[in-house]
């Protein structure tokens, strides 16, 4: 398969495969390679056009009979945490988040494996090895970082990686915000709602950067796995008419 840099990206279509979100559906994806000096620019444009990044691939659904996958982005500059999300922030007041280069560690992989075993035993990533994880983190030509979330230890200085590792996010920085590429956490700490906490942290980081959007990937209407994404309001969904503000009160 050609991965050489060309003036215009070359797009490819995958063969049909079983949909991991909706029973009885088949999925196909259109994808291109994110390589070369224009990779970051292309990642911006494609993400704004409904694509997601996985390693050096940008893809989006191209299913023949289904349009359930909808790109979602939070309007970070308008977001205000409600009572429930303020409780999540309070429950994690002892957590320190640290922005790091996109470099894998044994500690991260151990948490990643436990997360997959608890949440995604039958998913497409269920048999990933340490090498697969390292490639997922490092195989990028765009502005990617790792954010580690650790329980604060007394006496820990700024930038020190001490304390129990609770969660990790692989995040792209783009011209208009942050894109959460992949995240995982200790699923046995349900009281902390770490998945929600990481999204709140990304909203805060995006606000601090003076940027408008946090990209969450795809919301799949009818999939319980994806229902959490619509809780972060206000947000926009990508429709055939472009990005439009989503009103959960009118969603049926």
């Amino acid at each position: 398969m050609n991965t050489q840099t060309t003036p215009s990206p070359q797009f490819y279509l995958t063969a049909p495969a079983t949909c991991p979100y909706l029973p009885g559906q088949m999925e196909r994806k259109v994808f291109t390679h994110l390589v070369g000096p224009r990779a970051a620019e292309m990642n911006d444009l494609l993400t704004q056009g409904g694509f997601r990044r996985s390693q050096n691939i940008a893809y989006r659904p191209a299913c023949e009979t289904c349009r359930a996958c909808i790109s979602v982005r939070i309007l970070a500059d308008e977001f205000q945490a409600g009572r429930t999300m303020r409780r999540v922030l309070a429950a994690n007041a002892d957590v320190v988040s640290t922005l790091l280069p996109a470099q894998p560690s044994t500690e991260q992989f151990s948490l990643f494996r436990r997360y997959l075993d608890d949440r995604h035993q039958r998913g497409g990533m269920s048999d990933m090895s340490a090498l697969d994880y390292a490639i997922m983190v490092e195989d990028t030509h765009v502005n990617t970082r790792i954010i580690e979330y650790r329980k604060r230890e007394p006496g820990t200085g700024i930038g020190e990686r001490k304390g129990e590792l609770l969660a990790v996010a692989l995040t792209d920085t783009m011209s208009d915000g942050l894109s959460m590429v992949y995240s995982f956490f200790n699923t046995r700490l349900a009281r902390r709602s770490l998945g929600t906490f990481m999204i709140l942290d990304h909203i805060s980081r995006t606000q601090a950067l003076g940027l408008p959007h946090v990209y969450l990937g795809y919301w799949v209407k009818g999939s319980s796995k994806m229902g959490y994404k619509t809780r972060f309001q206000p947000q926009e969904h990508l429709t055939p008419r472009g990005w439009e503000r989503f009103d959960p009160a009118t969603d049926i």
Side-chain angles (χ1 to χ4, degrees):
M1 187 174 291
N2 179 21
T3 60
Q4 298 298 313
T5 303
T6 57
S8 298
Q10 304 297 303
F11 290 90
Y12 307 89
L13 189 64
T14 65
T18 301
C19 175
Y21 299 110
L22 299 177
Q25 295 288 347
M26 301 296 288
E27 71 167 1
R28 300 190 78 177
K29 296 174 183 175
V30 60
F31 69 95
T32 189
H33 293 92
L34 291 171
V35 294
R38 295 184 60 226
E41 176 188 352
M42 289 304 303
N43 188 46
D44 275 20
L45 292 173
L46 291 172
T47 300
Q48 292 160 10
F51 281 71
R52 290 291 285 166
R53 185 182 72 80
S54 177
Q55 299 173 40
N56 64 359
I57 296 292
Y59 68 91
R60 74 174 182 186
C63 306
E64 297 175 359
T65 61
C66 180
R67 296 294 182 270
C69 292
I70 299 172
S71 293
V72 174
R73 67 185 186 187
I74 302 167
L75 298 175
D77 48 356
E78 298 182 40
F79 177 84
Q80 292 183 340
R83 181 180 302 174
T84 299
M85 293 185 183
R86 289 198 299 271
R87 284 200 293 265
V88 172
L89 291 171
N92 291 283
D94 61 343
V95 174
V96 177
S97 63
T98 306
L99 187 69
L100 300 165
Q103 297 174 352
S105 72
T106 301
E107 190 179 18
Q108 291 169 15
F109 177 69
S110 295
L111 180 62
F112 176 69
R113 277 289 357 147
R114 294 198 302 271
Y115 174 78
L116 292 181
D117 292 342
D118 287 346
R119 289 289 180 92
H120 301 287
Q121 292 182 359
R122 299 181 180 180
M125 304 172 75
S126 61
D127 60 350
M128 284 181 64
S129 66
L131 177 59
D132 295 327
Y133 175 74
I135 292 171
M136 181 179 80
V137 172
E138 294 179 325
D139 193 3
T140 175
H141 292 250
V142 304
N143 187 7
T144 305
R145 295 291 185 269
I146 282 279
I147 304 177
E148 288 188 348
Y149 298 83
R150 294 178 179 273
K151 187 174 180 180
R152 182 186 292 110
E153 281 192 353
T156 301
I158 296 176
E160 289 187 275
R161 296 168 71 178
K162 294 183 179 179
E164 180 186 357
L165 182 63
L166 305 179
V168 175
L170 184 64
T171 301
D172 289 348
T173 300
M174 305 192 309
S175 60
D176 68 333
L178 299 180
S179 176
M180 297 185 69
V181 176
Y182 195 79
S183 60
F184 52 94
F185 52 89
N186 186 334
T187 60
R188 299 173 188 179
L189 301 176
R191 179 187 64 84
R192 289 184 176 273
S193 299
L194 287 166
T196 296
F197 177 68
M198 282 191 285
I199 295 175
L200 293 173
D201 180 66
H202 278 72
I203 294 172
S204 177
R205 288 176 177 273
T206 303
Q207 292 171 338
L209 291 169
L211 298 174
H213 303 127
V214 176
Y215 288 85
L216 292 184
Y218 300 116
W219 171 59
V220 184
K221 187 174 181 179
S223 171
S224 59
K225 295 179 182 179
M226 296 294 183
Y228 71 92
K229 294 188 178 183
T230 57
R231 296 203 304 263
F232 299 86
Q233 299 291 333
Q235 64 181 230
E236 292 179 329
H237 290 187
L238 185 59
T239 76
R241 298 174 295 277
W243 288 99
E244 296 186 329
R245 201 178 186 96
F246 173 71
D247 183 358
T250 62
D251 180 55
I252 300 176

